[in-house]
Amino acid sequence: MTDTRSRLNIGSHDLPVSAELSRFMAGNWAASPLSASARVPAHAVTPARRAKLSARFPGERLVIPAGELKVRTNDCDHRFRPHSAYAWLTGLTGEDQVGHVLVLEPSGPHGHEAVLYLRPRSPRADGNEEFFRDRRYGEFWVGRRPDLAEAETLTGIRCAHLDALGSPPARHADTDAELASALSELRLVKDAWEVEQLQLAVDHTTAGFEDVVRALPRALAHPRGERWIEGVFGLRARAEGNGTGYETIAASGAHACVLHWIRNDGPLDPNHLLLLDAGVETDTLYTADITRTLPLSGRFSPVQRQVYELVLAAQEAGMAALRPGASFRDFHRAGMRVIAEGLTEWGVLKDADGDLHRRYTLCSSGHMLGLDVHDCAKARAETYLDGVLEEGQVLTVEPGLYLQPDDETLPAELRGIGVRIEDDLVVTADGARLMSGALPRTPAAIEEWMGNLLNG
């Protein structure tokens, strides 16, 4: 029994298994093969991605792990999501990828052969008990894994047992900074299939925002209305995709001045705004990232509208700056100029020059979007933050004003108001296409939209 427990992931309170039960479990199972035509959704585009990576590192062995489980508490693990680079290169996105490793083995003077090392489906004979006893990997505990032949059909990649993975010198994506940068940079420009997946994520997110507005009456009545909002959006995300692409921010009132407010434990007040920053992640792991700031009463007050319209003007200026060849930072600069000028007109700043406006904006106004909400984050500065935009890149534009409730540089009526407007765009040949345009952005359109949903 000691040997079995050390080999399998068995809970400490599990009952012993008799030899008779072990023999009984080993036989009389019907064949249950996967479909012979099953393919991962990205099957047609992953070979080109691997070829691009191969070209960057001729003659070198490249190791890209899917990642390992992380313990949440005792024998319960956090939900697993494979590393984005692994998913991008293999098309495999499921929770059954724990511990699997893609290796690009040098082949010939310049190329590589891809080999996927994985834990195949457990046999149910010859004394193997994993399939019904192992809590982490057993089929009866966590679901069916493909065998090696099925995995090759799914991916188009040669597959081998994880136990056969050797450890000769290699570049590892989780420790090699140059390889990690390359894997980010190769994803900066999205292919057509990726743009389709991102649009799907945006469309599901739009539906989630509509769900939230319809749920506002019940959320307003609940003592932790922010959490009700989070739950409503999370239902849509799990029903339509893999879940949320990041922790939902449902921030009411002054909580909206906390940029990453994810406690979501506050009540909703109809006199306040709700800042909702949320995105659905598709089953292929591409995520949307959208923010709307909504009046919980259904109508903006004059001062709420004043703040909102300044942020909207900044966003319009930022989106207008998007085009191939423009500096990545141009859209942020354009939006912040509008903010600084607006704050000066309000008398909050003495003039629009300098960077004092950052007291009220705090952070940059957008980022790349894709498999990660902050996609391609390990790309070198010269290729991303200090680079230029290219057709096919997908990014967010999200200026905000965060007027802290205790900020004595502000008139009392402005304190405690937080507004962010965030949309997802794809750079086109002559500008950018707004992917999230189905969600209204102007105050009048928001009020009409909310009214229709609440009264429909």
Side-chain angles (χ1 to χ4, degrees):
M1 182 56 64
T2 302
D3 290 342
T4 300
R5 286 192 182 278
S6 64
R7 179 169 49 84
L8 301 178
N9 294 278
I10 297 173
S12 59
H13 59 284
D14 284 7
L15 296 172
V17 171
S18 66
E20 183 180 13
L21 175 58
S22 183
R23 287 193 299 271
F24 184 59
M25 292 297 293
N28 297 301
W29 299 106
S32 55
L34 296 182
S35 169
S37 61
R39 299 285 190 278
V40 294
H43 180 267
V45 295
T46 53
R49 298 172 182 176
R50 295 192 295 271
K52 290 178 182 178
L53 180 62
S54 173
R56 293 280 288 266
F57 297 93
E60 298 192 70
R61 189 174 192 254
L62 309 178
V63 177
I64 300 94
E68 299 290 347
L69 287 167
K70 294 184 179 179
V71 174
R72 185 180 188 275
T73 177
N74 294 326
D75 59 352
C76 296
D77 297 311
H78 287 283
R79 186 181 295 276
F80 179 77
R81 179 193 187 279
H83 191 283
S84 294
Y86 174 90
W88 188 71
L89 292 166
T90 66
L92 294 165
T93 60
E95 295 182 25
D96 60 346
Q97 298 304 305
V98 175
H100 296 181
V101 181
L102 175 69
V103 178
L104 297 189
E105 300 280 5
S107 175
H110 302 294
H112 289 80
E113 180 193 16
V115 183
L116 184 59
Y117 292 89
L118 50 82
R119 182 181 294 102
R121 185 184 192 187
S122 301
R124 297 187 185 181
D126 302 323
N128 189 303
E129 297 180 352
E130 180 190 88
F131 74 98
F132 74 96
R133 298 198 68 193
D134 194 307
R135 290 169 172 260
R136 272 191 159 178
Y137 306 115
E139 183 174 334
F140 286 6
W141 287 90
V142 297
R144 170 83 148 82
R145 299 194 305 269
D147 62 28
L148 293 179
E150 290 168 338
E152 290 189 358
T153 299
L154 280 169
T155 63
I157 302 172
R158 182 165 74 85
C159 294
H161 198 291
L162 191 59
D163 290 348
L165 176 63
S167 56
R171 288 181 178 266
H172 288 258
D174 50 1
T175 58
D176 188 296
E178 185 179 358
L179 177 55
S181 292
L183 287 165
S184 277
E185 291 166 5
L186 288 171
R187 290 175 18 227
L188 280 167
V189 175
K190 273 53 181 181
D191 57 41
W193 184 86
E194 290 180 291
V195 174
E196 290 176 0
Q197 293 301 302
L198 285 162
Q199 186 63 64
L200 181 62
V202 167
D203 294 344
H204 289 322
T205 300
T206 297
F209 274 73
E210 292 172 350
D211 294 340
V212 164
V213 173
R214 293 189 186 98
L216 282 178
R218 293 192 69 180
L220 283 159
H222 197 279
R224 290 203 291 184
E226 290 178 344
R227 199 153 288 184
W228 193 279
I229 294 301
E230 177 187 355
V232 168
F233 188 86
L235 174 60
R236 173 67 67 171
R238 283 294 284 167
E240 305 291 0
N242 189 53
T244 55
Y246 52 94
E247 293 294 328
T248 297
I249 298 170
S252 174
H255 289 167
C257 300
V258 180
L259 270 69
H260 289 168
W261 176 262
I262 59 172
R263 297 181 202 172
N264 300 340
D265 59 359
L268 305 182
D269 184 328
N271 295 312
H272 291 164
L273 298 172
L274 170 72
L275 188 157
L276 178 62
D277 186 335
V280 173
E281 180 181 83
T282 64
D283 290 331
T284 57
L285 305 187
Y286 289 83
T287 186
D289 183 8
I290 298 174
T291 307
R292 287 294 183 268
T293 306
L294 309 174
L296 285 167
S297 67
R299 308 284 296 182
F300 289 94
S301 71
V303 69
Q304 290 170 349
R305 184 181 291 260
Q306 173 189 346
V307 177
Y308 188 95
E309 287 183 336
L310 179 55
V311 176
L312 179 62
Q315 192 198 33
E316 293 283 1
M319 292 193 298
L322 299 177
R323 65 181 62 85
S327 167
F328 172 80
R329 297 185 189 272
D330 282 352
F331 74 90
H332 171 69
R333 296 187 185 104
M336 290 304 97
R337 184 65 189 178
V338 171
I339 292 286
E341 290 174 351
L343 291 172
T344 303
E345 290 178 7
W346 294 355
V348 172
L349 295 177
K350 293 182 179 179
D351 62 69
D353 295 330
D355 64 355
L356 298 187
H357 65 276
R358 293 180 60 184
R359 179 180 177 115
Y360 315 100
T361 61
L362 300 177
C363 66
S364 187
S365 301
H367 51 80
M368 292 295 178
L369 186 68
L371 281 167
D372 298 326
V373 65
H374 295 153
D375 206 31
C376 312
K378 293 189 176 181
R380 293 167 297 168
E382 58 265 31
T383 65
Y384 180 1
L385 298 177
D386 296 327
V388 298
L389 296 178
E390 297 182 49
E391 184 176 358
Q393 291 180 334
V394 178
L395 70 163
T396 71
V397 177
E398 53 169 321
L401 271 175
Y402 312 99
L403 309 177
Q404 303 297 332
D406 56 351
D407 189 341
E408 294 182 341
T409 69
L410 296 168
E413 65 272 16
L414 290 176
R415 296 178 195 172
I417 296 177
V419 173
R420 178 163 67 251
I421 312 169
E422 180 178 20
D423 283 277
D424 304 339
L425 301 100
V426 57
V427 179
T428 60
D430 56 358
R433 175 172 65 84
L434 181 61
M435 302 176 73
S436 47
L439 281 174
R441 293 187 300 122
T442 67
I446 286 173
E447 291 173 347
E448 180 181 6
W449 172 71
M450 292 182 68
N452 290 339
L453 291 171
L454 288 168
N455 300 319

